[in-house]
Amino acid sequence: QGSNGGSSITCSAPRALDGNCGSSDGSTVGTAPTTNLCSAGTATAVTGVGPWYWTCQGSNGGTTDSCSASKTPDPVNGVCGSSDGGTFTSAPTANLCSAGTATAVTGLGPWTWSCTGLNGGTADSCSANKTPDPIDGTCGTAAKSYLSTDTTFTGTFCATGTAVPATPSFPTQGNTANWICQGSNGGSSITCSAPRALDGNCGSSDGSTIGTAPTTNLCSAG
């Protein structure tokens, strides 16, 4: 207002406005945010490839606020580790997954587990087999029998295991056939044998005419 008859004039002053980040600040999103960048002030261009950055600039001398947003982690699919498809004496505890998180191993052999994905990734199903228990070789009933000919055996060669040779035979000299019952899965082996059946045959005294009871040449076999 003027004085001594001087004129008056209307004056004004703008309020300083501070810039403030919007709700996108501190968020985790899949792509660069384009909305809710500032609740007050003017947003600058969003920069970066995740995380992303921008500012909210104040006006009329107001302050500037710095803002940012994180990138949602990429999905990671679960992948079975080197124990998958293996054979073990007990449930595997290592190398279950090459990617993802292993669930508890279940079963008594075979065993199963899963490798769960991360950040929405898929799961992979895994399994491992149990080492078969050792089986010792044991002789069969043929080892206790008598044989009527060189090629006739009574009973089985092995009660457990595998006969080697598969078809035992008698040696040229001797009256005993030998074979081995081989164990499996690390089981022990055993040697088995069977005697040849020998027929009794009368000796040269048979059918003779003599003065006293014969004492020699009674049998040629048996």
Side-chain angles (χ1 to χ4, degrees):
Q1 193 172 30
S3 58
N4 303 317
S7 61
S8 297
I9 191 171
T10 300
C11 306
S12 64
R15 179 186 304 199
L17 296 176
D18 295 333
N20 287 304
C21 296
S23 58
S24 288
D25 179 48
S27 64
T28 301
V29 288
T31 58
T34 58
T35 59
N36 301 314
L37 300 178
C38 298
S39 61
T42 303
T44 60
V46 176
T47 60
V49 293
W52 297 279
Y53 303 95
W54 69 97
T55 61
C56 292
Q57 294 179 332
S59 58
N60 304 322
T63 60
T64 297
D65 201 6
S66 296
C67 321
S68 65
S70 300
K71 187 178 188 300
T72 302
D74 293 330
V76 176
N77 295 331
V79 179
C80 295
S82 58
S83 288
D84 179 47
T87 300
F88 306 94
T89 57
S90 59
T93 58
N95 302 315
L96 300 178
C97 299
S98 60
T101 303
T103 62
V105 177
T106 61
L108 300 175
W111 298 281
T112 59
W113 69 95
S114 294
C115 294
T116 58
L118 304 175
N119 309 318
T122 59
D124 198 8
S125 297
C126 321
S127 65
N129 297 313
K130 188 178 187 298
T131 303
D133 294 330
I135 299 175
D136 295 335
T138 56
C139 298
T141 55
K144 300 178 180 180
S145 66
Y146 289 89
L147 314 177
S148 58
T149 68
D150 287 356
T151 59
T152 301
F153 290 81
T154 302
T156 58
F157 297 119
C158 299
T160 57
T162 303
V164 178
T167 304
S169 60
F170 288 97
T172 303
Q173 300 293 325
N175 296 311
T176 301
N178 295 305
W179 65 93
I180 295 173
C181 289
Q182 286 187 333
S184 57
N185 308 323
S188 61
S189 300
I190 189 172
T191 299
C192 310
S193 62
R196 189 200 307 261
L198 297 175
D199 295 331
N201 289 305
C202 295
S204 58
S205 291
D206 178 46
S208 64
T209 302
I210 52 179
T212 60
T215 59
T216 59
N217 301 314
L218 301 178
C219 298
S220 61

